[in-house]
């Protein structure tokens, strides 16, 4: 059973949920089918722009949509890929890579995007903010 299938079956969180603070409120954002595989979407949740990514294997990740290098809300439009086994998103402006799991910038580890817990529940994507 894949991790997504297990997540859908028992409503446990995907890997992105392991690192963020667990004290926020859960919000339904969209249906899983609303996000194309290997792309991101932006959702406004409690006044925050959250970039939510669906990978080819249906794993979900959520980060701040704000790119501190370009001072723009563009992370959800970045290219998803892999650097040395770590899944990342490349900002569409200056191409800095952020780890999807932690939000850490690969090129400058002093910079980190906030990562959010994200779950799949009955076909819907939920984010904890």
């Amino acid at each position: 059973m894949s991790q997504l299938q297990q997540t859908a079956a028992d409503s446990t969180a995907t890997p992105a949920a392991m690192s963020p603070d667990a004290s926020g409120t859960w919000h339904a954002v969209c249906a899983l089918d609303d996000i194309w595989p290997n792309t991101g979407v932006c959702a406004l949740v409690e006044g925050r722009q959250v970039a939510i990514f669906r990978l080819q294997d249906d794993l979900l990740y959520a980060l701040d949509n704000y790119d501190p290098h370009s001072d723009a809300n563009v992370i959800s439009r970045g290219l998803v890929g892999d650097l040395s086994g770590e899944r990342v998103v490349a900002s569409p402006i200056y191409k800095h890579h952020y780890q999807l799991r932690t939000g850490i910038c690969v090129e400058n580890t002093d910079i980190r995007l906030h990562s959010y817990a994200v779950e799949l529940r009955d076909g819907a994507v939920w984010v904890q903010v």
Side-chain angles (χ1 to χ4, degrees):
M1 177 181 292
S2 74
Q3 180 144 5
L4 176 67
Q5 291 168 327
Q6 181 176 350
T7 298
D10 65 13
S11 293
T12 58
T14 58
M18 295 177 188
S19 61
D21 178 13
S23 63
T25 302
W26 286 95
H27 301 272
V29 176
C30 64
L32 179 66
D33 291 340
D34 291 338
I35 309 172
W36 288 84
N38 292 325
T39 66
V41 296
C42 181
L44 187 62
V45 183
E46 288 190 11
R48 297 181 189 182
Q49 288 193 28
V50 179
I52 303 163
F53 298 94
R54 174 186 179 188
L55 301 188
Q56 187 66 37
D57 55 8
D58 284 347
L59 287 179
L60 297 166
Y61 295 90
L63 300 171
D64 279 332
N65 194 42
Y66 178 75
D67 177 10
H69 290 101
S70 64
D71 195 31
N73 291 301
V74 295
I75 294 300
S76 64
R77 295 182 174 260
L79 295 175
V80 176
D82 181 292
L83 288 178
S84 302
E86 184 71 41
R87 293 173 176 192
V88 297
V89 60
S91 172
I93 300 193
Y94 294 123
K95 312 304 184 230
H96 290 90
H97 298 90
Y98 297 94
Q99 295 177 356
L100 289 173
R101 187 175 45 84
T102 64
I104 293 174
C105 178
V106 173
E107 290 80 13
N108 180 351
T109 57
D110 291 334
I111 296 178
R112 179 183 196 148
L113 304 179
H114 185 82
S115 58
Y116 299 91
V118 60
E119 291 183 357
L120 180 63
R121 300 180 191 169
D122 298 319
V125 177
W126 288 71
V127 176
Q128 187 180 38
V129 174

